Amino acid sequence: MALFLDILVAFSLVAIAWRIMRAPGHFQAVVLFITFGLLLSLAWARLNSPDIALAEAAVGAGLAGVLLLDTLRAVAQPGKVKTGAHFSWLLLPCLLLAGLLTLSIIHIQPDSQGLARAVEAGMQTTSLEYPVTAVLLDFRGYDTWLELGVLLAAVLGLLCVRRKKSIRAPLLPAPAEPVGRWLISILLPLILLVGGFLLWLGAFAPGGAFQAGVVWAAGGVLLWQAGHPSLGALPVSLWRTGAVLGFALFWLLAATALIRNEPMLTHPQAKAWILAVEYAAALSIAVCLTSLAIGGQKSEDRNQKSEVRDQRSGDRCQITNNR
Amino acid sequence: MQIFFLALACFLILNILAGLWRVVQGPTPADRMVSAQLFGTTGVAILLVLAQALEAPYIRNAALLFALLMIMAVLSFVRKSTPKQGQAGNIK
């Protein structure tokens, strides 16, 4: 029965992926992609990787659908879209890649433990109880640090591309939406709670900073979608602090290790310190992802010039407010 | 009991596959969106059943996330097709 389930999930994934590429309309492809994320999460759950299943569920349901639908609105054009026809030259590279991947899978020993044994051996030296979190924050802190840097760079890049001076400028809310306002009162407390729950869970079970950050980011996008003014009312300095906090704490960790004359990113083995880094990382991920998800939005019924002018006057208001 | 849960999961996945017909056929964007939402509900059920079958309780959290966040896409879709923001029909 388990084999049948595996075959069914694998078949559905490939079939939906194929249909996404051949879909006659963008909207159909977007809806199929949302379904694809759902089945992907199922596949990860079946493969016994609840961490990735959680991340896929949060990103797929919370952010990807919104991003794709909003992008669709930005690029919406009437008429049918050509699909697939001029991509036939990609067939050979794709087959080559598929062959290479198959070859590498064949070479994996069936009873291979991968790095699990090394991680298990290292678990004595860390104060965290859950191996995945220990790898992310302790053993391979460098990777997590740089990933936070990538997110930060993406936000800065977005500001450059959109020619916005302030990180808050893209946060002006969407037109007020009554259904959304009603949803906020039900969903937002739950979103905050579940995000905090996942973050807390990360210390000893599947969960952690990224999943929590994505859930909170979904909350931010919800606020923005419903036209709630709260995000825009936040002081811009607070928003900036939130965006760099995770990266900054890792940086502090590296700098203090340098002063204490130890290898970089080794830290005092205090659980409180690691958890502080994790919580800061979650906050930064939430702020950065919210900025990315809604910062790329173009207001629809104004042209670019008036948008810039509005933004300038917005900045001026902001300066007077700061005074 | 495990076989029962796995069979149930298979049946629910077959349900999703059957529902894909509506996504492919349409004809309106709303039809497609609603079926995606129903997949979300089915997905929650599958994850819960899988958590029971594989005895991996933390999979339930993924179900929780889907139950909580599937509405986001609908909200975006509704916002997108409100009449005052342009023609609702041009997003097929």
Side-chain angles (χ1 to χ4, degrees):
Chain A
M1 208 66 209
L3 182 69
F4 184 64
L5 181 80
D6 293 349
I7 291 171
L8 202 59
V9 171
F11 166 77
S12 323
L13 280 173
V14 175
I16 293 178
W18 177 255
R19 182 66 204 178
I20 289 174
M21 287 193 295
R22 310 295 302 184
H26 283 148
F27 187 80
Q28 191 186 132
V30 169
V31 170
L32 283 172
F33 192 79
I34 295 173
T35 317
F36 185 77
L38 179 79
L39 281 166
L40 208 56
S41 179
L42 281 184
W44 285 118
R46 174 70 190 92
L47 289 172
N48 236 333
S49 329
D51 292 274
I52 312 178
L54 275 175
E56 179 59 44
V59 174
L63 293 178
V66 177
L67 265 183
L68 286 172
L69 281 171
D70 283 341
T71 309
L72 194 58
R73 172 162 54 176
V75 301
Q77 60 216 23
K80 275 198 172 180
V81 199
K82 280 182 205 161
T83 46
H86 46 286
F87 288 125
S88 49
W89 59 271
L90 272 174
L91 191 67
L92 195 68
C94 280
L95 280 180
L96 214 64
L97 187 65
L100 276 176
L101 288 175
T102 316
L103 209 66
S104 66
I105 288 176
I106 290 172
H107 275 104
I108 297 175
Q109 306 292 331
D111 55 345
S112 162
Q113 290 285 312
L115 288 172
R117 207 159 292 156
V119 172
E120 221 162 86
M123 282 307 284
Q124 269 99 37
T125 65
T126 180
S127 51
L128 290 165
E129 289 123 64
Y130 186 57
V132 174
T133 315
V135 169
L136 285 177
L137 289 172
D138 201 345
F139 306 154
R140 300 290 303 166
Y142 220 133
D143 293 342
T144 313
W145 185 21
L146 293 182
E147 275 157 24
L148 288 171
V150 167
L151 268 181
L152 207 57
V155 172
L156 290 178
L158 187 75
L159 290 183
C160 292
V161 170
R162 281 264 167 252
R163 292 168 192 273
K164 293 194 167 144
K165 276 181 275 177
S166 148
I167 200 169
R168 201 176 66 159
L171 294 178
L172 297 174
E177 172 71 56
V179 181
R181 290 287 178 107
W182 175 75
L183 261 179
I184 283 179
S185 59
I186 303 171
L187 274 188
L188 198 66
L190 283 173
I191 285 179
L192 288 177
L193 187 69
V194 168
F197 167 66
L198 286 177
L199 187 57
W200 170 76
L201 212 59
F204 56 89
F210 182 73
Q211 288 88 340
V214 175
V215 172
W216 283 342
V221 176
L222 176 71
L223 275 178
W224 177 80
Q225 278 200 322
H228 200 274
S230 51
L231 280 184
L234 273 179
V236 74
S237 55
L238 204 67
W239 195 259
R240 279 183 191 153
T241 313
V244 296
L245 195 62
F247 189 79
L249 262 186
F250 264 108
W251 181 84
L252 202 68
L253 192 64
T256 50
L258 217 59
I259 292 167
R260 283 184 285 120
N261 211 0
E262 282 170 20
M264 203 157 88
L265 286 177
T266 53
H267 39 75
Q269 282 301 331
K271 197 172 179 182
W273 177 240
I274 300 181
L275 287 187
V277 171
E278 179 168 29
Y279 287 15
L283 187 70
S284 289
I285 290 169
V287 170
C288 287
L289 284 179
T290 311
S291 307
L292 283 176
I294 66 189
Q297 306 287 336
K298 232 172 9 182
S299 48
E300 199 179 45
D301 38 7
R302 307 177 202 162
N303 56 27
Q304 197 69 31
K305 267 183 191 168
S306 71
E307 195 180 11
V308 171
R309 198 166 53 229
D310 278 9
Q311 190 218 323
R312 276 190 195 141
S313 61
D315 283 349
R316 225 174 289 135
C317 289
Q318 199 178 302
I319 291 164
T320 30
N321 282 348
N322 286 350
R323 277 175 196 156
Chain B
M1 206 57 189
Q2 198 203 11
I3 289 193
F4 170 71
F5 283 129
L6 284 176
L8 212 57
C10 289
F11 175 70
L12 288 169
I13 292 177
L14 285 174
N15 263 324
I16 289 189
L17 286 182
L20 277 178
W21 182 79
R22 184 42 78 192
V23 178
V24 172
Q25 281 297 313
T28 68
D31 289 322
R32 300 194 162 111
M33 202 67 225
V34 166
S35 50
Q37 284 307 299
L38 291 177
F39 295 163
T41 314
T42 318
V44 170
I46 298 173
L47 282 168
L48 290 175
V49 169
L50 268 187
Q52 207 66 26
L54 306 173
E55 286 166 8
Y58 291 111
I59 293 177
R60 287 190 198 120
N61 289 339
L64 179 67
L65 287 189
F66 270 117
L68 194 63
L69 298 179
M70 265 322 247
I71 192 79
M72 299 289 293
V74 175
L75 197 58
S76 178
F77 173 72
V78 170
R79 200 162 56 78
K80 192 174 149 74
S81 54
T82 23
K84 68 171 184 229
Q85 293 188 344
Q87 296 77 28
N90 63 358
I91 47 171
K92 253 174 237 176

